[in-house]
């Protein structure tokens, strides 16, 4: 991974995190992800997970190594693991 973060910890690529309003019948799931260390990591994981069908919202906590995902139905753990892996990180499972 390249160091693309500014001294204040923000991402120098200009990527931003987007969120969506969750539907009443949405499902919230928290995953543990290893390898995230900076704002660019947060942006990369947010983008990768947001592109999965049915995702309504994504919140990434780099310090805790957690990704909270809101979906329109039951989440596909394998799809999330693949997206996170392709972004360069490792989804290690659902958080307890």
């Amino acid at each position: 991974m390249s160091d693309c973060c500014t001294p204040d910890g923000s991402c120098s690529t200009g990527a931003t995190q987007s969120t969506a309003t969750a539907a009443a019948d949405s499902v919230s799931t928290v995953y543990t992800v290893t390898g995230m260390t900076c704002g660019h990591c947060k942006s990369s994981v947010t983008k990768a997970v947001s592109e999965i069908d049915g995702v309504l919202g994504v919140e990434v906590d780099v310090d805790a190594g957690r990704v909270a995902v809101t979906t329109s139905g039951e989440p596909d753990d394998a799809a999330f693991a693949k997206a996170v892996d392709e972004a360069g990180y490792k989804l290690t499972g659902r958080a307890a």
Side-chain angles (χ1 to χ4, degrees):
M1 270 182 258
S2 64
D3 185 13
C4 63
C5 297
T6 61
D8 69 354
S10 63
C11 182
S12 64
T13 63
T16 59
Q17 178 179 348
S18 63
T19 58
T21 303
D25 61 346
S26 64
V27 177
S28 294
T29 308
V30 179
Y31 296 98
T32 55
V33 175
T34 60
M36 300 185 300
T37 60
C38 66
H40 179 262
C41 300
K42 181 177 181 174
S43 295
S44 295
V45 171
T46 299
K47 182 178 185 302
V49 171
S50 294
E51 292 176 351
I52 297 171
D53 286 341
V55 171
L56 302 173
V58 180
E59 292 292 329
V60 177
D61 184 339
V62 172
D63 295 330
R66 294 181 184 255
V67 178
V69 182
T70 304
T71 54
S72 59
E74 195 59 36
D76 181 352
D77 293 344
F80 287 110
K82 181 179 178 186
V84 170
D85 182 60
E86 288 176 356
Y89 309 93
K90 181 163 179 61
L91 187 146
T92 57
R94 288 188 183 201

